[in-house]
């Protein structure tokens, strides 16, 4: 059943890379299980993918957007039909528990349906001219060939957030998924093909970021790059992309503020879900809890009781609460951060070890007595490690929240409406949740961050902006030469 050899998808055909090399995708819960062997693509494959995307561009962008949307509705249907199979695949390939894996597929379905509708709403603006008998408006244009580079932690949803809006806007695509989740990406592209997408419109090149990814980033015929991944890779991409349109969605060090008037049961639900859901491997994971000192001890006890009950295991088992980390490097990274935290003077309340289990598991870990300058309170760990930072009042809580270089998601638990609105106003982040965890975006609202998380906005109408250009149009029907700024009477 597993271990098949998969190919690249270029110009509507499944083809081998001319590198002659392959790499494997493993199940992180059972690392001996090879899920498939994938083409180790190279620069020549990217070149062929770009040629195919270039050839397909004129006819694809000439299809009207509502008609392009019809293909996305078929994609949604196919995703629905295969939902359970795809969810199992997500769990097997990156480890998240099955309920969350179903969420991953559902997000892709939601995105396909939502974006299909946007095909009838690719609105521009009309506005009065400063001159008589002249009309001003804006219309949307495709960008051209888009390079899409995605991470592994939402192996279907993140590609869906990029591929569907890029398609509805009339772009053609060269897609390079994470080398940890090439099977999910391949299945997504298979579905696009089954839905009737014309050849060359989406091309898949699997292979290493440093070669395949970089060739996409540097390619002169690629006009736009949409990247989701770590800050370190994003920084390299920005330096190498030249004058392309570049959208970056990068890391987070998201915090939850728990005020002394908070509903602590609700807040502990939020911390457990935000901190340990997807084993802490979400860009929106709540890796910091900024807690009022008056309720610190009580809240710590509540969290420890909850964490003790979390069951580690294979995400396919319905009894599992927390799955494995994606690979060995991620497991070692978490262990390394535990040592850093202890060296810096933080105290472990629970967890902090690699359990004796096959697979890349790590104990859900809670540090307390953290200060904002500690590395565990500043750096993205991407594991099940939460740092509790005590503060004496609301102002200190906001300062702690804003003390990191990232600015993706944030949350505050309080029953005080004034504090809730002040938090909304003063937290430096792309997302703020009130009395809810840092997780839970919906596809019709924009998603993205500020500061070193990047400035892209995906989903919602703002997501359409990422994948289209605005053209300004002036139509003068006065029958004479009218000069803006000069003919002012
Ligand atoms: P990486 O940055 O390691 O990789 C992301 C993608 O970039 C992969 O496809 C990778 O390929 C590719 N890549 C690596 N090096 C290069 C390069 N030099 N040039 C071009 N492409 C390259 O991130 P992860 O996959 O580990 O994902 C986790 C990160 O993603 C976290 O920081 C997380 O916060 C962030 N993320 C952000 C989200 C957001 O919306 N803000 C959402 C989800 C995740 P390969 O796999 O072959 O190395």
């Amino acid at each position: 059943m597993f271990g098949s050899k998969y190919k690249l998808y270029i110009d509507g055909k499944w083809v081998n890379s001319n590198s002659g090399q392959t790499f494997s995708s493993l199940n992180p819960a059972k690392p001996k299980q090879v899920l498939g062997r994938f083409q180790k693509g190279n620069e020549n494959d990217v070149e062929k993918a770009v040629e195919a995307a270039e050839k397909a561009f004129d006819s694809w962008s000439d299809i009207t957007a509502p008609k392009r949307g019809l293909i996305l509705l078929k994609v949604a249907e196919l995703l629905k039909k295969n939902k359970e199979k795809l969810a199992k695949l997500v769990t097997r390939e990156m480890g998240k528990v099955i309920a969350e894996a179903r969420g991953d597929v559902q997000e892709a379905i939601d995105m396909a349906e939502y974006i299909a509708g946007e095909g009838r709403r690719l609105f521009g603006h009309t506005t009065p001219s400063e001159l008589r008998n002249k009309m001003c408006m804006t219309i949307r244009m495709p960008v051209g060939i888009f390079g899409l580079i995605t991470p592994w932690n939402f192996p279907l949803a993140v590609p869906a957030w990029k591929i569907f809006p890029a398609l509805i806007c009339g772009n053609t695509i060269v897609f390079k998924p994470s080398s940890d989740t090439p099977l999910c990406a391949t299945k997504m592209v298979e579905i696009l093909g089954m839905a009737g997408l014309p050849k060359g419109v989406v091309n898949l090149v699997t292979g290493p970021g440093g070669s395949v990814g970089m060739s996409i980033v540097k390619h002169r015929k690629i006009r736009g790059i949409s990247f989701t991944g770590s800050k370190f890779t994003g920084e390299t991409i920005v330096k190498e992309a030249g004058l392309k349109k570049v959208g970056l969605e990068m890391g987070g060090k998201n915090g939850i503020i728990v005020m002394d008037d908070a509903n602590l049961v609700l807040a502990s639900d939020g911390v457990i879900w935000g901190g340990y859901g997807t084993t802490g491997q979400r860009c929106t994971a709540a890796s910091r809890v900024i807690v009022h000192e008056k309720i610190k001890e009580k809240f710590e006890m509540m969290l420890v009781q909850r964490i003790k009950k979390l069951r580690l295991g294979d995400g396919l088992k319905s009894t599992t609460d927390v799955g494995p980390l994606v690979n060995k490097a991620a497991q070692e990274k978490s262990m390394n951060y535990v040592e850093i935290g202890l060296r810096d003077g933080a105290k472990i309340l629970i967890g902090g070890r690699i359990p004796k289990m096959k697979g890349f598991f790590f104990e859900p870990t809670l540090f307390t007595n953290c200060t904002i300058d500690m590395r565990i309170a500043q750096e993205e760990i991407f594991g099940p490690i939460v740092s509790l930072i005590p503060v004496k009042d609301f102002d200190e809580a906001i300062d702690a929240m804003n003390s990191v270089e990232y600015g993706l998601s944030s949350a505050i638990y309080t029953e005080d409406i004034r504090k809730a609105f002040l938090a909304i106003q003063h937290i430096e982040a792309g997302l703020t949740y009130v009395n809810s965890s840092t997780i839970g975006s919906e596809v019709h609202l924009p998603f993205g961050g500020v500061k070193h998380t990047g400035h892209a906005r995906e989903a919602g109408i703002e997501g359409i902006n990422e994948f289209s250009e605005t053209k300004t149009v002036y139509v003068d029907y006065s029958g004479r030469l009218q000069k803006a700024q000069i003919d002012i009477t």
Side-chain angles (χ1 to χ4, degrees), residues 170-199:
N171 304 288
T172 54
I173 291 169
V174 179
F175 169 35
K176 190 221 110 48
S178 164
S179 298
D180 281 305
T181 51
L183 185 50
C184 288
T186 301
K187 293 292 162 190
M188 171 67 95
V189 172
E190 272 177 26
I191 284 177
L192 287 161
M194 282 155 67
L197 199 70
K199 65 178 188 176

PDB file of all heavy atoms in Angstrom, residues 170-199:
ATOM      1  N   GLY A 170      -6.357  34.146 -12.310  1.00  0.00           N
ATOM      2  CA  GLY A 170      -5.888  33.937 -13.686  1.00  0.00           C
ATOM      3  C   GLY A 170      -4.408  33.654 -13.826  1.00  0.00           C
ATOM      4  O   GLY A 170      -3.870  33.671 -14.936  1.00  0.00           O
ATOM      5  N   ASN A 171      -3.731  33.397 -12.710  1.00  0.00           N
ATOM      6  CA  ASN A 171      -2.298  33.085 -12.780  1.00  0.00           C
ATOM      7  C   ASN A 171      -2.081  31.615 -13.120  1.00  0.00           C
ATOM      8  O   ASN A 171      -2.963  30.778 -12.888  1.00  0.00           O
ATOM      9  CB  ASN A 171      -1.643  33.336 -11.412  1.00  0.00           C
ATOM     10  CG  ASN A 171      -1.872  34.742 -10.927  1.00  0.00           C
ATOM     11  OD1 ASN A 171      -1.290  35.675 -11.471  1.00  0.00           O
ATOM     12  ND2 ASN A 171      -2.743  34.923  -9.936  1.00  0.00           N
ATOM     13  N   THR A 172      -0.900  31.296 -13.591  1.00  0.00           N
ATOM     14  CA  THR A 172      -0.486  29.893 -13.675  1.00  0.00           C
ATOM     15  C   THR A 172       0.611  29.674 -12.620  1.00  0.00           C
ATOM     16  O   THR A 172       1.182  30.650 -12.104  1.00  0.00           O
ATOM     17  CB  THR A 172      -0.006  29.508 -15.085  1.00  0.00           C
ATOM     18  OG1 THR A 172       1.023  30.411 -15.484  1.00  0.00           O
ATOM     19  CG2 THR A 172      -1.155  29.577 -16.077  1.00  0.00           C
ATOM     20  N   ILE A 173       0.880  28.391 -12.313  1.00  0.00           N
ATOM     21  CA  ILE A 173       1.580  28.091 -11.051  1.00  0.00           C
ATOM     22  C   ILE A 173       2.708  27.084 -11.214  1.00  0.00           C
ATOM     23  O   ILE A 173       2.566  26.086 -11.914  1.00  0.00           O
ATOM     24  CB  ILE A 173       0.549  27.526 -10.044  1.00  0.00           C
ATOM     25  CG1 ILE A 173      -0.431  28.640  -9.626  1.00  0.00           C
ATOM     26  CG2 ILE A 173       1.212  26.897  -8.831  1.00  0.00           C
ATOM     27  CD1 ILE A 173      -1.642  28.130  -8.860  1.00  0.00           C
ATOM     28  N   VAL A 174       3.807  27.360 -10.501  1.00  0.00           N
ATOM     29  CA  VAL A 174       4.821  26.330 -10.243  1.00  0.00           C
ATOM     30  C   VAL A 174       4.827  26.141  -8.719  1.00  0.00           C
ATOM     31  O   VAL A 174       5.083  27.093  -7.977  1.00  0.00           O
ATOM     32  CB  VAL A 174       6.216  26.755 -10.744  1.00  0.00           C
ATOM     33  CG1 VAL A 174       7.242  25.664 -10.427  1.00  0.00           C
ATOM     34  CG2 VAL A 174       6.181  27.042 -12.237  1.00  0.00           C
ATOM     35  N   PHE A 175       4.507  24.938  -8.287  1.00  0.00           N
ATOM     36  CA  PHE A 175       4.268  24.653  -6.862  1.00  0.00           C
ATOM     37  C   PHE A 175       5.360  23.736  -6.329  1.00  0.00           C
ATOM     38  O   PHE A 175       5.574  22.649  -6.845  1.00  0.00           O
ATOM     39  CB  PHE A 175       2.875  23.993  -6.772  1.00  0.00           C
ATOM     40  CG  PHE A 175       2.510  23.390  -5.453  1.00  0.00           C
ATOM     41  CD1 PHE A 175       2.915  23.940  -4.242  1.00  0.00           C
ATOM     42  CD2 PHE A 175       1.686  22.261  -5.411  1.00  0.00           C
ATOM     43  CE1 PHE A 175       2.543  23.378  -3.021  1.00  0.00           C
ATOM     44  CE2 PHE A 175       1.304  21.685  -4.197  1.00  0.00           C
ATOM     45  CZ  PHE A 175       1.737  22.242  -3.018  1.00  0.00           C
ATOM     46  N   LYS A 176       6.041  24.219  -5.275  1.00  0.00           N
ATOM     47  CA  LYS A 176       7.030  23.369  -4.585  1.00  0.00           C
ATOM     48  C   LYS A 176       6.608  23.182  -3.124  1.00  0.00           C
ATOM     49  O   LYS A 176       6.689  24.090  -2.306  1.00  0.00           O
ATOM     50  CB  LYS A 176       8.428  24.003  -4.617  1.00  0.00           C
ATOM     51  CG  LYS A 176       9.486  23.016  -4.112  1.00  0.00           C
ATOM     52  CD  LYS A 176      10.522  23.641  -3.231  1.00  0.00           C
ATOM     53  CE  LYS A 176      10.553  23.320  -1.797  1.00  0.00           C
ATOM     54  NZ  LYS A 176      10.482  21.978  -1.308  1.00  0.00           N
ATOM     55  N   PRO A 177       6.141  21.985  -2.778  1.00  0.00           N
ATOM     56  CA  PRO A 177       5.720  21.740  -1.394  1.00  0.00           C
ATOM     57  C   PRO A 177       6.905  21.372  -0.510  1.00  0.00           C
ATOM     58  O   PRO A 177       8.006  21.122  -1.006  1.00  0.00           O
ATOM     59  CB  PRO A 177       4.790  20.540  -1.559  1.00  0.00           C
ATOM     60  CG  PRO A 177       5.372  19.780  -2.705  1.00  0.00           C
ATOM     61  CD  PRO A 177       5.988  20.805  -3.644  1.00  0.00           C
ATOM     62  N   SER A 178       6.636  21.301   0.783  1.00  0.00           N
ATOM     63  CA  SER A 178       7.661  20.874   1.737  1.00  0.00           C
ATOM     64  C   SER A 178       8.124  19.446   1.431  1.00  0.00           C
ATOM     65  O   SER A 178       7.314  18.591   1.059  1.00  0.00           O
ATOM     66  CB  SER A 178       7.073  20.915   3.143  1.00  0.00           C
ATOM     67  OG  SER A 178       7.885  20.173   4.018  1.00  0.00           O
ATOM     68  N   SER A 179       9.391  19.198   1.647  1.00  0.00           N
ATOM     69  CA  SER A 179       9.923  17.841   1.427  1.00  0.00           C
ATOM     70  C   SER A 179       9.469  16.880   2.523  1.00  0.00           C
ATOM     71  O   SER A 179       9.697  15.677   2.420  1.00  0.00           O
ATOM     72  CB  SER A 179      11.445  17.870   1.350  1.00  0.00           C
ATOM     73  OG  SER A 179      11.824  18.669   0.247  1.00  0.00           O
ATOM     74  N   ASP A 180       8.826  17.391   3.584  1.00  0.00           N
ATOM     75  CA  ASP A 180       8.268  16.497   4.607  1.00  0.00           C
ATOM     76  C   ASP A 180       6.867  16.013   4.241  1.00  0.00           C
ATOM     77  O   ASP A 180       6.380  15.054   4.838  1.00  0.00           O
ATOM     78  CB  ASP A 180       8.209  17.211   5.965  1.00  0.00           C
ATOM     79  CG  ASP A 180       9.572  17.234   6.640  1.00  0.00           C
ATOM     80  OD1 ASP A 180      10.156  16.153   6.816  1.00  0.00           O
ATOM     81  OD2 ASP A 180      10.055  18.331   6.955  1.00  0.00           O
ATOM     82  N   THR A 181       6.185  16.694   3.327  1.00  0.00           N
ATOM     83  CA  THR A 181       4.804  16.297   3.003  1.00  0.00           C
ATOM     84  C   THR A 181       4.519  16.293   1.490  1.00  0.00           C
ATOM     85  O   THR A 181       3.503  16.842   1.037  1.00  0.00           O
ATOM     86  CB  THR A 181       3.790  17.238   3.715  1.00  0.00           C
ATOM     87  OG1 THR A 181       4.157  18.585   3.439  1.00  0.00           O
ATOM     88  CG2 THR A 181       3.742  17.008   5.200  1.00  0.00           C
ATOM     89  N   PRO A 182       5.372  15.650   0.706  1.00  0.00           N
ATOM     90  CA  PRO A 182       5.136  15.660  -0.736  1.00  0.00           C
ATOM     91  C   PRO A 182       3.926  14.821  -1.157  1.00  0.00           C
ATOM     92  O   PRO A 182       3.342  15.080  -2.210  1.00  0.00           O
ATOM     93  CB  PRO A 182       6.434  15.062  -1.306  1.00  0.00           C
ATOM     94  CG  PRO A 182       6.984  14.222  -0.193  1.00  0.00           C
ATOM     95  CD  PRO A 182       6.603  14.930   1.080  1.00  0.00           C
ATOM     96  N   LEU A 183       3.540  13.847  -0.316  1.00  0.00           N
ATOM     97  CA  LEU A 183       2.427  12.983  -0.723  1.00  0.00           C
ATOM     98  C   LEU A 183       1.102  13.768  -0.687  1.00  0.00           C
ATOM     99  O   LEU A 183       0.296  13.678  -1.618  1.00  0.00           O
ATOM    100  CB  LEU A 183       2.363  11.737   0.176  1.00  0.00           C
ATOM    101  CG  LEU A 183       1.333  10.676  -0.204  1.00  0.00           C
ATOM    102  CD1 LEU A 183       1.401  10.294  -1.675  1.00  0.00           C
ATOM    103  CD2 LEU A 183       1.498   9.425   0.664  1.00  0.00           C
ATOM    104  N   CYS A 184       0.895  14.523   0.376  1.00  0.00           N
ATOM    105  CA  CYS A 184      -0.337  15.340   0.434  1.00  0.00           C
ATOM    106  C   CYS A 184      -0.378  16.304  -0.750  1.00  0.00           C
ATOM    107  O   CYS A 184      -1.435  16.484  -1.378  1.00  0.00           O
ATOM    108  CB  CYS A 184      -0.388  16.140   1.738  1.00  0.00           C
ATOM    109  SG  CYS A 184      -0.722  15.124   3.177  1.00  0.00           S
ATOM    110  N   ALA A 185       0.767  16.907  -1.050  1.00  0.00           N
ATOM    111  CA  ALA A 185       0.813  17.868  -2.165  1.00  0.00           C
ATOM    112  C   ALA A 185       0.488  17.172  -3.482  1.00  0.00           C
ATOM    113  O   ALA A 185      -0.257  17.700  -4.320  1.00  0.00           O
ATOM    114  CB  ALA A 185       2.198  18.513  -2.236  1.00  0.00           C
ATOM    115  N   THR A 186       1.027  15.966  -3.658  1.00  0.00           N
ATOM    116  CA  THR A 186       0.784  15.219  -4.894  1.00  0.00           C
ATOM    117  C   THR A 186      -0.707  14.913  -5.031  1.00  0.00           C
ATOM    118  O   THR A 186      -1.290  15.029  -6.120  1.00  0.00           O
ATOM    119  CB  THR A 186       1.629  13.915  -4.901  1.00  0.00           C
ATOM    120  OG1 THR A 186       3.007  14.294  -4.790  1.00  0.00           O
ATOM    121  CG2 THR A 186       1.420  13.104  -6.157  1.00  0.00           C
ATOM    122  N   LYS A 187      -1.339  14.527  -3.912  1.00  0.00           N
ATOM    123  CA  LYS A 187      -2.783  14.212  -3.954  1.00  0.00           C
ATOM    124  C   LYS A 187      -3.587  15.461  -4.309  1.00  0.00           C
ATOM    125  O   LYS A 187      -4.573  15.388  -5.045  1.00  0.00           O
ATOM    126  CB  LYS A 187      -3.247  13.637  -2.607  1.00  0.00           C
ATOM    127  CG  LYS A 187      -2.648  12.287  -2.301  1.00  0.00           C
ATOM    128  CD  LYS A 187      -3.183  11.211  -3.263  1.00  0.00           C
ATOM    129  CE  LYS A 187      -2.302   9.980  -3.261  1.00  0.00           C
ATOM    130  NZ  LYS A 187      -2.607   9.008  -4.310  1.00  0.00           N
ATOM    131  N   MET A 188      -3.187  16.598  -3.783  1.00  0.00           N
ATOM    132  CA  MET A 188      -3.893  17.845  -4.102  1.00  0.00           C
ATOM    133  C   MET A 188      -3.799  18.128  -5.614  1.00  0.00           C
ATOM    134  O   MET A 188      -4.788  18.487  -6.255  1.00  0.00           O
ATOM    135  CB  MET A 188      -3.274  18.993  -3.294  1.00  0.00           C
ATOM    136  CG  MET A 188      -3.747  20.365  -3.674  1.00  0.00           C
ATOM    137  SD  MET A 188      -5.490  20.623  -3.272  1.00  0.00           S
ATOM    138  CE  MET A 188      -5.343  21.391  -1.675  1.00  0.00           C
ATOM    139  N   VAL A 189      -2.628  17.932  -6.174  1.00  0.00           N
ATOM    140  CA  VAL A 189      -2.443  18.205  -7.610  1.00  0.00           C
ATOM    141  C   VAL A 189      -3.210  17.173  -8.444  1.00  0.00           C
ATOM    142  O   VAL A 189      -3.796  17.512  -9.480  1.00  0.00           O
ATOM    143  CB  VAL A 189      -0.934  18.279  -7.952  1.00  0.00           C
ATOM    144  CG1 VAL A 189      -0.710  18.352  -9.447  1.00  0.00           C
ATOM    145  CG2 VAL A 189      -0.315  19.488  -7.266  1.00  0.00           C
ATOM    146  N   GLU A 190      -3.231  15.922  -7.982  1.00  0.00           N
ATOM    147  CA  GLU A 190      -4.041  14.903  -8.682  1.00  0.00           C
ATOM    148  C   GLU A 190      -5.499  15.357  -8.760  1.00  0.00           C
ATOM    149  O   GLU A 190      -6.150  15.241  -9.802  1.00  0.00           O
ATOM    150  CB  GLU A 190      -3.999  13.581  -7.904  1.00  0.00           C
ATOM    151  CG  GLU A 190      -2.844  12.669  -8.277  1.00  0.00           C
ATOM    152  CD  GLU A 190      -2.818  11.392  -7.412  1.00  0.00           C
ATOM    153  OE1 GLU A 190      -3.865  10.962  -6.897  1.00  0.00           O
ATOM    154  OE2 GLU A 190      -1.725  10.857  -7.255  1.00  0.00           O
ATOM    155  N   ILE A 191      -6.001  15.883  -7.651  1.00  0.00           N
ATOM    156  CA  ILE A 191      -7.395  16.324  -7.607  1.00  0.00           C
ATOM    157  C   ILE A 191      -7.623  17.500  -8.563  1.00  0.00           C
ATOM    158  O   ILE A 191      -8.635  17.549  -9.277  1.00  0.00           O
ATOM    159  CB  ILE A 191      -7.798  16.661  -6.147  1.00  0.00           C
ATOM    160  CG1 ILE A 191      -8.020  15.349  -5.396  1.00  0.00           C
ATOM    161  CG2 ILE A 191      -9.016  17.579  -6.077  1.00  0.00           C
ATOM    162  CD1 ILE A 191      -8.343  15.467  -3.939  1.00  0.00           C
ATOM    163  N   LEU A 192      -6.670  18.412  -8.630  1.00  0.00           N
ATOM    164  CA  LEU A 192      -6.808  19.538  -9.569  1.00  0.00           C
ATOM    165  C   LEU A 192      -6.899  19.021 -11.006  1.00  0.00           C
ATOM    166  O   LEU A 192      -7.698  19.506 -11.810  1.00  0.00           O
ATOM    167  CB  LEU A 192      -5.624  20.500  -9.423  1.00  0.00           C
ATOM    168  CG  LEU A 192      -5.644  21.361  -8.154  1.00  0.00           C
ATOM    169  CD1 LEU A 192      -4.262  21.925  -7.865  1.00  0.00           C
ATOM    170  CD2 LEU A 192      -6.647  22.501  -8.286  1.00  0.00           C
ATOM    171  N   GLY A 193      -6.075  18.018 -11.299  1.00  0.00           N
ATOM    172  CA  GLY A 193      -6.112  17.422 -12.642  1.00  0.00           C
ATOM    173  C   GLY A 193      -7.448  16.754 -12.910  1.00  0.00           C
ATOM    174  O   GLY A 193      -8.060  16.926 -13.968  1.00  0.00           O
ATOM    175  N   MET A 194      -7.944  15.998 -11.907  1.00  0.00           N
ATOM    176  CA  MET A 194      -9.234  15.295 -12.060  1.00  0.00           C
ATOM    177  C   MET A 194     -10.380  16.289 -12.238  1.00  0.00           C
ATOM    178  O   MET A 194     -11.394  15.980 -12.879  1.00  0.00           O
ATOM    179  CB  MET A 194      -9.512  14.422 -10.827  1.00  0.00           C
ATOM    180  CG  MET A 194      -8.732  13.122 -10.808  1.00  0.00           C
ATOM    181  SD  MET A 194      -8.514  12.491  -9.131  1.00  0.00           S
ATOM    182  CE  MET A 194     -10.179  12.098  -8.704  1.00  0.00           C
ATOM    183  N   ALA A 195     -10.243  17.471 -11.649  1.00  0.00           N
ATOM    184  CA  ALA A 195     -11.312  18.476 -11.751  1.00  0.00           C
ATOM    185  C   ALA A 195     -11.344  19.136 -13.128  1.00  0.00           C
ATOM    186  O   ALA A 195     -12.247  19.930 -13.415  1.00  0.00           O
ATOM    187  CB  ALA A 195     -11.137  19.532 -10.665  1.00  0.00           C
ATOM    188  N   GLY A 196     -10.336  18.847 -13.945  1.00  0.00           N
ATOM    189  CA  GLY A 196     -10.352  19.361 -15.319  1.00  0.00           C
ATOM    190  C   GLY A 196      -9.503  20.603 -15.531  1.00  0.00           C
ATOM    191  O   GLY A 196      -9.677  21.326 -16.530  1.00  0.00           O
ATOM    192  N   LEU A 197      -8.575  20.859 -14.646  1.00  0.00           N
ATOM    193  CA  LEU A 197      -7.697  22.014 -14.846  1.00  0.00           C
ATOM    194  C   LEU A 197      -6.861  21.797 -16.111  1.00  0.00           C
ATOM    195  O   LEU A 197      -6.251  20.744 -16.266  1.00  0.00           O
ATOM    196  CB  LEU A 197      -6.775  22.147 -13.614  1.00  0.00           C
ATOM    197  CG  LEU A 197      -6.137  23.505 -13.422  1.00  0.00           C
ATOM    198  CD1 LEU A 197      -7.190  24.529 -13.023  1.00  0.00           C
ATOM    199  CD2 LEU A 197      -5.051  23.431 -12.357  1.00  0.00           C
ATOM    200  N   PRO A 198      -6.836  22.760 -17.015  1.00  0.00           N
ATOM    201  CA  PRO A 198      -6.067  22.554 -18.252  1.00  0.00           C
ATOM    202  C   PRO A 198      -4.583  22.320 -17.982  1.00  0.00           C
ATOM    203  O   PRO A 198      -4.053  22.781 -16.973  1.00  0.00           O
ATOM    204  CB  PRO A 198      -6.273  23.870 -19.012  1.00  0.00           C
ATOM    205  CG  PRO A 198      -7.462  24.516 -18.399  1.00  0.00           C
ATOM    206  CD  PRO A 198      -7.525  24.053 -16.984  1.00  0.00           C
ATOM    207  N   LYS A 199      -3.934  21.622 -18.898  1.00  0.00           N
ATOM    208  CA  LYS A 199      -2.517  21.279 -18.691  1.00  0.00           C
ATOM    209  C   LYS A 199      -1.658  22.545 -18.595  1.00  0.00           C
ATOM    210  O   LYS A 199      -1.949  23.564 -19.247  1.00  0.00           O
ATOM    211  CB  LYS A 199      -2.019  20.353 -19.788  1.00  0.00           C
ATOM    212  CG  LYS A 199      -2.001  20.959 -21.149  1.00  0.00           C
ATOM    213  CD  LYS A 199      -1.453  19.967 -22.162  1.00  0.00           C
ATOM    214  CE  LYS A 199      -1.270  20.707 -23.489  1.00  0.00           C
ATOM    215  NZ  LYS A 199      -0.672  19.925 -24.512  1.00  0.00           N
TER     216      LYS A 199
END
